[in-house]
Amino acid sequence: MSEDCLLVLTVTPELEEAMVDWLLSRECPTGFSSVHINGHSTDQAHLTVAEQVRGSRRQVQFQIQVPRETARTCLQHLRRDFAGAGMHYWLLPLLEGGHLG
């Protein structure tokens, strides 16, 4: 049995709908969560002037619980389908997950 992990994807707000459509069209996740976040960084080179003044960049984060091998396959497809999009990801071991009640 494959070990589950948490795949976290961070994209620009402009990519939100495309990412939702992409994830819903795949078999890799059975569901996912998304949340609007503010990304902070000391690397100001990639921020617009407005983002530098505000001190953060608006982003959208997707959280997906999937088996590790499925996550790696999804990442390969994302690299192909969203090449150059500047997407950031984390792949974390998941200790537990499920429904309560």
Side-chain angles (χ1 to χ4, degrees):
M1 187 164 131
S2 182
E3 183 178 320
D4 273 0
C5 63
L6 183 64
L7 176 58
V8 180
L9 305 170
T10 304
V11 303
T12 63
E14 294 79 21
L15 286 178
E16 180 177 13
E17 290 304 317
M19 181 59 59
V20 168
D21 291 344
W22 191 91
L23 289 169
L24 290 173
S25 72
R26 301 289 167 190
E27 294 180 14
C28 54
T30 56
F32 56 91
S33 299
S34 65
V35 63
H36 289 204
I37 64 168
N38 290 311
H40 303 270
S41 175
T42 58
D43 181 9
Q44 301 285 310
H46 298 96
L47 301 178
T48 66
V49 173
E51 291 169 341
Q52 290 175 24
V53 170
R54 190 173 53 247
S56 65
R57 168 181 278 173
R58 291 190 172 101
Q59 298 176 301
V60 181
Q61 194 169 80
F62 293 86
Q63 302 164 357
I64 311 153
Q65 179 182 342
V66 291
R68 182 182 295 166
E69 289 307 313
T70 302
R72 290 195 172 127
T73 300
C74 283
L75 287 170
Q76 288 175 344
H77 294 166
L78 285 164
R79 282 184 184 98
R80 178 195 66 212
D81 296 343
F82 289 91
M87 186 181 305
H88 184 81
Y89 78 94
W90 298 325
L91 187 56
L92 308 163
L94 189 63
L95 299 177
E96 286 186 45
H99 297 278
L100 298 174

